[in-house]
Amino acid sequence: MTPSRRIKGLSNRQSPRAAGPLSRRRFALALPSALLASGCAAPHRGTGRPGDPIVLTVLSHYASGELKEALRGPVDEWNATHDRVKVRTKAVEFTDLLTTFMVRQAAGQGADILHPYCLWNGQLVRAGVLRPAPAEHAEEIRRGYSAAAVGAASVGGRVYGYPTELQTYALYYNKRLLRAAGLDGPPRTWRELEETAYRTTRRDRYGNTLVQGFGLSTYDDSTTVGQTLALLNAAGGTFVSADGRSTAIDSPAGRAVFDLEHRLVAEGASSPGVNVYRAFPSGQVAMVISAGWWTGSLKTLMGTDYRDVGVAPVPLPEAGGERATLCTGFMLGVNTASAHPREAWEFLRWLNAERTGRGKGAAATRMSALQVSVGSLTGRADDMRTLLGAGGGKGGGGDPNLRPFLDALAYAVPEPNVPGAQRAKSLLRKNIEALWTGRRSVEEALRVTRRQVDQEVARSW
C-alpha cells in the first residue's frame, strides 16, 4: 500500500526509506535471514518438461500477518489448478524490499515477479530490473485501470506492470469536534481549512494543546510528504517537472502550500511532533490529510466512536477549482532476468485481470478481492464499487467514508517515479520538517529543496 503500513498492522504503517547499495558479500551474508517463504510450490525452479514444472518466484513485502495469508489464497488456487507452471512466494519486510530487489539482481538471484512500490519504478527500470509489459498486457492495463494507476505503473510512457494496491488521499475530519466549534461541515477551500483549524484548536489553561485543528505530523514519509503533495496537487502544482530532471516545488503553488503549513504551525493549530495515527482516533486532532487505507484501521481502533469520522476531498485554494490529490501504489511486474517471462505475465493476468465470482458472488479480479479483504483499494474503480457495495472486506458495508477515495481515482496524480524519486522524497521530508520546526523559513525551505532535489534527479544513475 502507499507505501504499506499494513505490513505490521494497519495502525503501524511504515513508509519507504532510501536503500543504499550493498556488496555481494554483504548481500550473501544478510539474505538467508531476511527471506521468508510462503505459498505452495515445487522445491526448485523447473524446466517445464513433463514431470518438472516451471516454478515462478514472486518477491514482495507480504511477509507476515493478514497480507501473507491474503496472498496465499490465490497462489494456492493457481497451484491447485495449473500443472505446468507453479508459483512460489518469497517476502521481506517492506523497509528491506528495494535493497533486496537491487542486490538480488546484482547477485543473479532475482525473482521472476517483483512487487515494488511504484515510487521506485524509475530506479528499477534504469537499473535494468523491470521488463516492459508486452503490448497485449499493456493494453489490458490501460483499459482496466484508472489513469492514476496506469501512470504509477508506467515509466516514460511505457507500462511495466499490473497495479495492485492504490491509495488516494483525502481529508479526514472529526464531526463532533467541528460541531463543538460551531461548524456545519468540512472545509472546501484553504481559507475555510485555516478557519476550521483555528476554531477547533483547544488548549488548557497552561497553554498546552488539547486538540490540534489540523494534524501535520513528522511521523514518517507517507505522512509528512504525502499530505504536503496532496495539497500541492490540489493547488495545481507538481513536485518534479514533466521531464523528470528537476523539482517544480519552488513555484507559486509550492510556496502557497509551504506558507499554509507554516501559518498552521506558527498559530498553534498544528503540532508536528504528535503522532496523528494515535491522536486522531482519540479525538485530539480535528482534521488530517491521509490515504484511504486508514478507514479500516480507524474502524477497528475507534469502535462506536468511528461514527464521528467523516471524509471529504482535499480542500482547494479557491472555490470552484479543478480537483486533484495524491495517489501512491504498488504493482506486480516481471524481472528482465526471468527465464519464463511469458508464463510470468500469464500468471499476472490471471491474478489481476481475470474476474471471478468467488466469495459473495461479486465478479471482480482476484487482486481486487485480495486488497479489499485487508482494507485496501485497487485502481479498478468498477471492482471497488462492486466489492465494497457488496459489503466485502474491512472497508465494506457501504461505508460512505470510502466514496471520496473512490471518486479521487478519477483525478488523483501519481507520485513522480523518476530514478532518484525515493531519495528526492526523503530530501523533501527533511526540508518540510525544517520548515515546521522553525529551522528554515518558507523561502529557505523552497530554495534548499530545489537545490538538493535538482542535484538528485539530474545525476546519472
Side-chain angles (χ1 to χ4, degrees):
M1 292 174 184
T2 339
S4 203
R5 188 177 315 282
R6 285 182 292 123
I7 300 157
K8 295 185 179 178
L10 281 169
S11 63
N12 296 302
R13 189 178 185 93
Q14 297 299 315
S15 65
R17 297 182 183 274
L22 293 179
S23 68
R24 291 194 182 194
R25 181 174 180 275
R26 287 176 61 197
F27 162 71
L29 291 172
L31 191 60
S33 62
L35 286 177
L36 303 168
S38 66
C40 299
H44 62 281
R45 187 186 302 270
T47 63
R49 292 192 297 268
D52 189 11
I54 293 169
V55 179
L56 302 173
T57 55
V58 180
L59 178 57
S60 77
H61 57 289
Y62 288 4
S64 60
E66 60 184 0
L67 289 171
K68 180 179 178 180
E69 291 305 311
L71 182 58
R72 184 191 298 272
V75 169
D76 285 353
E77 180 189 352
W78 169 276
N79 287 335
T81 55
H82 293 76
D83 294 329
R84 196 177 74 86
V85 179
K86 301 294 184 180
V87 175
R88 175 175 57 191
T89 62
K90 295 184 176 181
V92 296
E93 296 297 338
F94 179 73
T95 50
D96 300 323
L97 188 59
L98 179 58
T99 300
T100 304
F101 286 154
M102 301 299 285
V103 296
R104 281 181 65 91
Q105 196 78 2
Q109 299 180 20
D112 296 281
I113 297 171
L114 306 177
H115 193 193
Y117 175 35
C118 289
L119 183 75
W120 307 332
N121 284 349
Q123 181 175 344
L124 293 172
V125 168
R126 181 67 63 87
V129 176
L130 287 175
R131 184 186 298 265
E136 65 272 22
H137 292 273
E139 177 57 29
E140 168 68 39
I141 292 163
R142 291 191 180 98
R143 183 174 61 247
Y145 293 85
S146 67
V150 175
S154 301
V155 176
R158 299 188 74 176
V159 177
Y160 281 86
Y162 281 89
T164 57
E165 174 189 349
L166 191 81
Q167 296 295 333
T168 57
Y169 280 64
L171 179 78
Y172 288 86
Y173 63 97
N174 186 306
K175 300 174 187 177
R176 177 180 56 80
L177 293 176
L178 266 62
R179 284 196 303 269
L183 298 161
D184 296 329
R188 293 163 296 180
T189 66
W190 287 7
R191 185 171 184 175
E192 292 177 358
L193 175 66
E194 283 196 77
E195 179 183 359
T196 302
Y198 300 144
R199 288 176 61 172
T200 53
T201 297
R202 289 174 45 214
R203 298 180 181 83
D204 63 19
R205 59 178 180 171
Y206 303 106
N208 300 310
T209 300
L210 300 175
V211 176
Q212 290 186 69
F214 187 79
L216 297 174
S217 180
T218 59
Y219 181 71
D220 61 10
D221 279 359
S222 299
T223 313
T224 305
V225 177
Q227 57 197 354
T228 298
L229 293 187
L231 287 166
L232 180 66
N233 291 335
T238 58
F239 177 33
V240 177
S241 62
D243 64 6
R245 305 299 292 176
S246 63
T247 181
I249 199 168
D250 191 3
S251 64
R255 188 167 289 103
V257 173
F258 277 29
D259 276 334
L260 172 65
E261 294 181 347
H262 181 262
R263 288 195 301 272
L264 289 168
V265 175
E267 294 296 327
S270 296
S271 301
V274 173
N275 180 352
V276 294
Y277 296 112
R278 293 180 180 174
F280 183 85
S282 58
Q284 296 173 311
V285 175
M287 300 178 293
V288 64
I289 291 173
S290 192
W293 65 267
W294 204 20
T295 55
S297 178
L298 288 172
K299 279 186 175 182
T300 301
L301 290 169
M302 298 180 70
T304 57
D305 288 341
Y306 181 73
R307 64 178 179 267
D308 292 332
V309 177
V311 177
V314 174
L316 300 171
E318 302 289 341
E322 184 175 351
R323 292 213 175 277
T325 189
L326 175 70
C327 82
T328 62
F330 288 79
M331 68 159 220
L332 282 164
V334 176
N335 195 332
T336 56
S338 174
H340 307 288
R342 184 174 65 83
E343 290 81 1
W345 284 114
E346 190 52 42
F347 169 71
L348 292 184
R349 187 205 300 272
W350 176 89
L351 179 63
N352 295 278
E354 182 179 304
R355 282 179 164 77
T356 175
R358 295 171 65 87
K360 293 181 178 293
T365 64
R366 292 173 176 85
M367 180 54 68
S368 289
L370 184 162
Q371 293 298 331
V372 169
S373 76
V374 294
S376 187
L377 306 174
T378 71
R380 287 187 178 272
D382 51 351
D383 275 6
M384 292 301 97
R385 291 190 169 90
T386 296
L387 291 167
L388 296 174
K394 293 187 175 181
D399 185 351
N401 283 340
L402 290 172
R403 183 174 183 85
F405 299 105
L406 295 178
D407 291 345
L409 291 174
Y411 60 77
V413 179
E415 286 183 293
N417 58 10
V418 296
Q422 177 62 77
R423 177 62 178 160
K425 183 175 184 178
S426 298
L427 291 169
L428 176 58
R429 176 186 177 183
K430 290 180 180 178
N431 284 291
I432 291 171
E433 292 178 353
L435 170 70
W436 291 351
T437 56
R439 290 181 286 119
R440 289 200 176 117
S441 67
V442 169
E443 291 298 328
E444 289 172 330
L446 289 168
R447 184 174 65 254
V448 174
T449 299
R450 182 182 67 232
R451 176 175 55 80
Q452 292 178 342
V453 174
D454 282 357
Q455 182 177 10
E456 185 63 30
V457 299
R459 72 186 179 92
S460 177
W461 282 78

